[in-house]
Amino acid sequence: MTAVTDLPQPAQPAQTGRSARPERSVPTVPQAVAAVVRERADPLFGLMGNGNAHLISELTSTGFPLVTVRHEAGAVAAADAFHRASGRVGTATVTYGAGFTNTLTALAEASLARIPLVLIVGDAPTTGPRFFDIDQVGMAAAAGVDTVRLDDRDPAAQVRGAYARAESGRRPVVVAIPYDLVEVPVSAPATERMPIAERRPAELSVAAVEPLAAALRTAERPLLVAGRGVLDSPGGPEALRALADRLGALLATSVMARNVAGEEGDLGIAGGFGRLERVEIMRQADVVLVLGASMNPFQMRYGTVFGPAATVLQVDVDPARRHERAEHFLPADAGTALRSLGDLLAAGPLEAGRADGGWRARQPIPPAPSLDAPDPVDQAAGAEKVGAGVVPRGLAPDGRLDPRTMALALEGILPRERTFVQDGGHFIGWVPLMCSVPDARSHLFVGTAFQSIGLGFPSAVGAAVARPDRTTVLVTGDGGGLMALADLESFVKQARSGVVVVFNDAAYGAELHQYAARGLDDQAMLIDEVDFAAVGRAFGAEGIKARSLQDLAALQDWVDRGAEGVFVLDLPISQDVVAEYMQESMAGAIPAPRPLPVD
């Protein structure tokens, strides 16, 4: 974004291309920054403006991959999703001023979700702010994000430090380039500037781990609940699998760590997106070990996911996150704790594991639902009787599509190698219940930490770049989809194979089911229905607006033809079908609006 009031300053004439730039024996500040980006990033997500034009030109002129988006929030959202899908630090760039302020929602989401990324921005000159400059450092700090404001003394070291801080602290960091330094040569390194040491997990003493080991040794029905802390810890998933096998334990996960240790003994999601018949099994556990999961109210199913008599053990890097149910709390990296527990248990009676196979061997796990076998808990499949007639399969009583049936159908139609990206909104309750994922980095929930909507399309761009070998499936609502519509074009351009599923209820569904249900006027909660498939076709995608279950044959045909390009599936769903998690919230479980998961 370029402000018309911010024309190039006379002392820094605009360059028309790389050939117009004078050759320098000493790099400029943006060239030094670009050198570190080449070391640490692949690719860069961004949108060009005055404040970052020199940096971007230095990178693109040498062939470095730049993934462009159409809104600055999309640059940060794409870098965020890139990390979630790949595990690698994301890098984004935007200009100063309005370009920077446009990133704040996505930046706050990344901060609250503890996503390591580096955002490189322009900033006010070192000589003082211009009439249109704002306090970007203060605004980033308000979102919980630190800023490294560069000077000309070894800026490469400063940027490397920012990457180290983002990685070790699992958080976003802003790197700001003052505008009067965009053509200034780098000076000699400052002797007082020390490198930032990367934080490494501390070794755990036997005394610290023994209380958890003692509880697990005597457990008859042990349950291990893993969150993103396990996924993000080197060797964490393998150590979790080994401990579960030794104990004969069952497993459950947060929504963002689905399938982190494979399918054996996996009860699925613990929390608001858990299947009721599997949650009932979780409630039978006598010892529960929670590793790297936030245990927020949604994840705890408002205090009901564990039985009242269960002994709850918790491992988390942040002591401030200790839950009131935790009888023993171990402040530690999840992977380190799992390995220490495994070593300690291997030195005793459980050296060879439980002879009878443990709880896992005794407890059958109910199968997932399918269109061929109606689920006794969620009547998503089959015809539904209404009065003297029968509603056709796939429709709700009001004649619009039943979102549960549609999600079940997608499970069988979409390619198995897929990455789900979910925007925020009421609709998020159906795909986690009905659709499986190939691994723990295959289901991205964006906006849920900050309770936002409208980050879905650019997040799908980041996921598609991170895993181009898979089909990226964006699941959005019509409210969030319209908010982020500019980057539908980015997704169509970028994705090798992508599907956009719009659960279109012609409303802001979360507000409709929370507030209209309480008697508030619904006028501002309703949206004139949009044909997203037609919009997608205008951008170069294929797509249909489905009116029946049979209409999904068009998506099946696209998959059968190779699943190349992007397919937009607009599902005009019923406003009368309320997601299970929303029903629990409306029953008074928690007072906060739109309760969504974090981990």
Side-chain angles (χ1 to χ4, degrees), residues 101-150:
T101 59
N102 275 346
T103 70
L104 284 173
T105 295
L107 195 60
E109 164 68 16
S111 176
L112 290 170
R114 301 181 306 282
I115 302 298
L117 65 84
V118 173
L119 170 62
I120 305 172
V121 302
D123 202 357
T126 59
T127 53
R130 298 155 296 189
F131 70 92
F132 51 80
D133 283 318
I134 58 172
D135 180 8
Q136 295 183 184
V137 174
M139 296 184 80
V145 179
D146 292 340
T147 298
V148 177
R149 198 164 189 267
L150 301 182

Side-chain angles (χ1 to χ4, degrees), residues 216-238:
L216 291 169
R217 285 191 194 99
T218 59
E220 293 293 326
R221 297 177 302 281
L223 174 67
L224 308 183
V225 180
R228 243 182 57 217
V230 173
L231 179 62
D232 290 339
S233 177
E238 295 79 10

Side-chain angles (χ1 to χ4, degrees), residues 114-265:
R114 301 181 306 282
I115 302 298
L117 65 84
V118 173
L119 170 62
I120 305 172
V121 302
D123 202 357
T126 59
T127 53
R130 298 155 296 189
F131 70 92
F132 51 80
D133 283 318
I134 58 172
D135 180 8
Q136 295 183 184
V137 174
M139 296 184 80
V145 179
D146 292 340
T147 298
V148 177
R149 198 164 189 267
L150 301 182
D151 55 42
D152 62 347
R153 297 172 299 165
D154 199 2
Q158 299 169 50
V159 178
R160 289 189 185 99
Y163 273 100
R165 190 181 303 175
E167 209 162 24
S168 64
R170 296 178 186 173
R171 56 177 174 164
V173 176
V174 172
V175 172
I177 306 176
Y179 189 63
D180 58 338
L181 299 185
V182 295
E183 290 192 342
V184 171
V186 171
S187 66
T191 56
E192 71 274 12
R193 197 179 299 281
M194 299 295 292
I196 299 174
E198 295 192 30
R199 187 171 60 193
R200 296 182 180 275
E203 294 296 323
L204 299 174
S205 67
V206 172
V209 181
E210 177 55 36
L212 281 70
L216 291 169
R217 285 191 194 99
T218 59
E220 293 293 326
R221 297 177 302 281
L223 174 67
L224 308 183
V225 180
R228 243 182 57 217
V230 173
L231 179 62
D232 290 339
S233 177
E238 295 79 10
L240 175 68
R241 176 81 269 161
L243 183 64
D245 290 345
R246 184 177 301 280
L247 294 170
L250 290 174
L251 294 158
T253 70
S254 70
V255 71
M256 293 193 187
R258 293 183 67 185
N259 205 15
V260 69
E263 296 181 359
E264 186 178 1

Side-chain angles (χ1 to χ4, degrees), residues 364-407:
I365 297 178
S370 72
L371 283 174
D372 298 326
D375 184 333
V377 175
D378 190 331
Q379 297 298 324
E384 185 174 348
K385 294 181 180 179
V386 179
V390 174
V391 175
R393 192 180 192 207
L395 299 185
D398 63 359
R400 292 173 67 90
L401 297 175
D402 187 319
R404 300 164 296 186
T405 313
M406 296 301 110

Side-chain angles (χ1 to χ4, degrees), residues 298 302 424-428 451-453 505 507-522 525-526 575-596:
F298 186 89
Y302 319 118
H426 169 247
F427 62 89
I428 65 174
Q451 308 289 278
S452 72
I453 66 173
D505 60 358
Y508 294 103
E511 285 71 23
L512 193 71
H513 297 304
Q514 290 179 101
Y515 299 114
R518 297 176 183 175
L520 273 67
D521 185 76
D522 66 2
M525 304 173 194
L526 302 177
Q575 294 178 0
D576 297 336
V577 180
V578 184
E580 184 179 283
Y581 81 88
M582 186 65 73
Q583 294 177 28
E584 291 193 353
S585 172
M586 291 304 299
I590 62 174
R594 199 186 292 139
L596 301 176

Side-chain angles (χ1 to χ4, degrees), residues 371 380 382 391-396 398-410 413 501-504 529 544-556 567-574:
L371 283 174
V391 175
R393 192 180 192 207
L395 299 185
D398 63 359
R400 292 173 67 90
L401 297 175
D402 187 319
R404 300 164 296 186
T405 313
M406 296 301 110
L408 275 173
L410 290 173
I413 295 173
V501 180
V502 184
F503 283 102
N504 189 347
E529 187 165 322
I544 62 161
K545 191 175 186 73
R547 299 292 182 183
S548 68
L549 189 61
Q550 291 70 31
D551 286 347
L552 298 192
L555 175 62
Q556 182 68 70
F567 190 99
V568 179
L569 177 65
D570 186 322
L571 300 175
I573 62 169
S574 172

